[in-house]
Amino acid sequence: MKIAVIAVQGAFIEHEKMLQTLGAEMIELRKAGDLKQPFDGLVLPGGESTLQGKLLRELGMFDILQQKILEGMPVLATCAGLILLAKEISNDEKRYFGTLPVTVKRNAYGRQLGSFFCEGEIKGIGRYPMEFIRAPYIESAEEEVEVLAEVDGKAVAVQYKNQIGVSFHPELTKDTRLHQKFLELFSRTDIG
Ligand code: GLN
């Protein structure tokens, strides 16, 4: 299984390492030419969503990636990646892929609580370490979106068909179960 990680900015190396330990072959997407290689899944890492969105458009990767997501390619999106997937961003005019029917709020935890760690419960997985870094949360989700985790009453992990989006950074902890859940999408035929 070959998985591509967007490598224009942000915390992509940690995703690569984690997925490699789980047996995936990883490639980095830095420019349009990298999209010529075949790959089966996609990781949208944390970082700065505004910059990532701008770079993806300028580098000519945006439309092709959006099409692949719409066609059902499994996607794992963390933090800024979740913002790129969201259909709506309540405190920003911009929209990116818009393939995940949720409304997110950027930098939702304010300045003082911009970064924090907690443990939450992920549906089907159990207690999970959650590292939040100037994270968004999910303000609302359309009915067909499954909420996988909430922290303080706000959704922080969701799944919709082929897309898993989380507010926190699972790649920065040692727990690989969420990445494992992502890999399980590849054997499902009822999504996409
Ligand atoms: N604050 C960033 C944004 O709005 C996301 C931060 C992150 O990915 N850790 O894009």
Side-chain angles (χ1 to χ4, degrees):
M1 185 179 335
K2 202 183 261 190
I3 297 173
V5 59
I6 292 180
V8 295
Q9 191 266 341
F12 54 89
I13 288 166
E14 294 82 356
H15 280 292
E16 283 182 45
K17 288 187 181 152
M18 196 167 253
L19 286 164
Q20 277 163 348
T21 65
L22 296 173
E25 190 184 333
M26 301 298 296
I27 60 166
E28 293 182 351
L29 302 179
R30 295 175 181 275
K31 54 186 189 312
D34 297 333
L35 292 168
K36 293 196 183 112
Q37 315 164 67
F39 55 92
D40 314 295
L42 183 65
V43 175
L44 309 184
E48 182 55 47
S49 53
T50 313
L51 183 56
Q52 290 184 5
K54 181 173 178 282
L55 288 170
L56 287 174
R57 286 199 172 100
E58 284 175 6
L59 292 164
M61 296 201 274
F62 188 87
D63 293 342
I64 297 168
L65 292 174
Q66 185 179 41
Q67 192 56 37
K68 285 184 186 291
I69 299 169
L70 288 170
E71 284 168 0
M73 175 173 275
V75 188
L76 174 64
T78 58
C79 207
L82 168 66
I83 297 169
L84 293 189
L85 283 188
K87 193 164 149 190
E88 296 291 338
I89 306 166
S90 64
N91 54 349
D92 201 318
E93 306 271 270
K94 299 192 187 66
R95 300 291 174 273
Y96 304 96
F97 295 126
T99 52
L100 180 65
V102 299
T103 299
V104 297
K105 183 174 181 187
R106 284 186 69 196
N107 301 323
Y109 294 95
R111 277 175 188 274
Q112 276 188 324
L113 270 181
S115 302
F116 63 98
F117 174 84
C118 71
E119 267 199 7
E121 184 81 19
I122 299 185
K123 214 170 158 182
I125 296 184
R127 299 293 293 169
Y128 215 85
M130 297 177 176
E131 192 78 58
F132 290 82
I133 304 172
R134 290 175 50 74
Y137 59 57
I138 297 149
E139 276 187 342
S140 62
E142 286 178 26
E143 210 176 315
E144 61 274 33
V145 176
E146 186 181 13
V147 175
L148 298 174
E150 287 186 0
V151 167
D152 293 336
K154 302 290 183 195
V156 295
V158 292
Q159 179 169 0
Y160 172 68
K161 298 183 183 174
N162 54 315
Q163 304 169 58
I164 296 176
V166 303
S167 298
F168 51 93
H169 284 266
E171 78 286 5
L172 298 182
T173 63
K174 290 200 164 59
D175 202 318
T176 58
R177 290 175 294 168
L178 204 65
H179 286 77
Q180 191 64 54
K181 184 178 173 68
F182 167 56
L183 295 181
E184 282 161 17
L185 290 178
F186 293 83
S187 49
R188 281 180 57 180
T189 52
D190 57 329
I191 54 170

